[in-house]
Amino acid sequence: MSLADAAPAFDWDIFCRVVDNFGDIGVCWRLAKALAHDHGCAVRLWVDDWGTFARLCPAAADAGDAVRAEGVEVRRWREPFPEVLPARAVVEAFACEPPASYVEAMAAATPRPHWINLEYLSAEDWIEGCHGLASPHPRLPLAKRFCFPGFTARSGGLLRERGLLDARDRFQADAIARRDWLAGRGIPVPAEGARLVSLFAYEQPQLPELLRLWAGAPRPTLLLVPEGRVLGDVLRFFGRAEARAGAILAAGALSTVVLPFLDTADYDRLLWACELNFVRGEDSFVRAQWAARPFVWHIYEQDEAVHHDKLDAFLARYLAGLDEAASDATRAFWRAWNGEGSLAAAWPAFADALPQLVPHARRWSDGLAALQDLASTLVQFSELTVK
């Protein structure tokens, strides 16, 4: 029996090339687990940057080129690509074309796999007209269908595994669970009335100006910073060249704890525990919305500043329903965080708006939860005939 005649061993193959550190693989890893756990699918995830993946899945660190973890088969994407039987459905994440030999095998399979191009998340209106469209291969009898994650019923929705929001609500309602979780990560008991803030961002040249404000403020701030790209800017404020996980730095009313890199479950709990979350890229951006807390997004920078259009498109949706002052303050601070204005000048009004953003963030999260989740959208796509 030829390879083309064999029955596929996997329901899904997901291909991921790591571009944005943990954003691309973060999305793909969560998607793979959601398809396996929530839909009972056999999933194989191909990733080219094994070292980055191992930060999210420590079991991969000493596993060579393959590991089975959390119900998912994960393979290192190497060249030359091995001869494998394609899965019943294939996801190329963020337009990372699967290997040519694999695409040829897809064309030779009977029946041919459903081929889905999972695009980047966007709040722009145009994605609704492109979501679900098919593009024929120029040479082979194949077509790929485009799936655009988004914030409306006419998009692919967002990644949201079953039970996530119930787990969030239990954690946020349980002060003892939150205290124990923080203590288990070496985080000291916050000062009376302190604001807990998490910081996961790209490099931020203006950050010392903001930290200076927090250090001089009457209200204490406990800043929790997982190891990552923005840590250098934090250390610059404290006059330090380096600091290891577990370090606690203080200046005035500001206390800062350097955290180790967190796995996906612990990162969710960090977001759930904090009153304000600074996030970046796509994966942590979505998880901050499920945390139902006020947040600030550091969008991935693109050529010709097109990321500013994407930022404004999201703000137009997210800020709908807020009063004008809170909306203006949030927009000004987010733009400053993304290089369009002064953080120090924008912070006071944004801080004043935070009490209004607390219930607003919950309403926003509840509204998104009423939409179909992304994994379910992809399963639905895989059951359709691509025309």
Side-chain angles (χ1 to χ4, degrees), residues 32-57:
K33 291 186 290 183
L35 290 169
H37 298 165
D38 297 349
H39 297 277
C41 297
V43 183
R44 182 169 53 187
L45 171 61
W46 299 90
V47 56
D48 66 335
D49 187 338
W50 200 253
T52 296
F53 174 67
R55 298 291 301 278
L56 297 177
C57 178

Side-chain angles (χ1 to χ4, degrees), residues 207-255:
L207 184 60
E209 300 173 20
L210 182 60
L211 299 186
R212 195 169 296 113
L213 287 181
W214 291 355
R219 181 179 180 182
T221 297
L222 179 56
L223 179 64
L224 308 179
V225 188
E227 292 177 316
R229 290 169 62 173
V230 78
L231 181 57
D233 296 303
V234 175
L235 297 180
R236 187 157 48 89
F237 168 76
F238 287 102
R240 298 277 294 269
E242 60 180 26
R244 295 184 177 181
I248 300 176
L249 312 173
L254 171 64
S255 298

Side-chain angles (χ1 to χ4, degrees), residues 73-98:
E73 181 86 8
V74 188
R75 302 279 187 90
R76 191 193 300 252
W77 182 352
R78 286 188 181 276
E79 298 297 340
F81 194 77
E83 184 179 9
V84 296
L85 184 68
R88 293 180 176 88
V90 178
V91 172
E92 61 172 72
F94 316 123
C96 72
E97 186 82 16

Side-chain angles (χ1 to χ4, degrees), residues 195-206:
R195 175 184 286 127
L196 265 68
V197 180
S198 78
L199 175 61
F200 184 59
Y202 304 114
E203 292 81 2
Q204 180 52 269
Q206 293 193 67

Side-chain angles (χ1 to χ4, degrees), residues 145-193:
R145 186 180 291 270
F146 291 89
C147 179
F148 282 84
F151 305 93
T152 70
R154 295 180 61 193
S155 73
L158 303 176
L159 277 173
R160 184 185 73 250
E161 61 270 27
R162 291 177 187 168
L164 173 69
L165 304 189
D166 287 341
R168 175 203 65 192
D169 291 345
R170 289 193 300 270
F171 183 85
Q172 291 181 340
D174 190 338
I176 295 175
R178 296 197 307 278
R179 182 198 65 194
D180 290 348
W181 185 87
L182 292 168
R185 275 116 205 108
I187 299 169
V189 176
E192 183 69 26

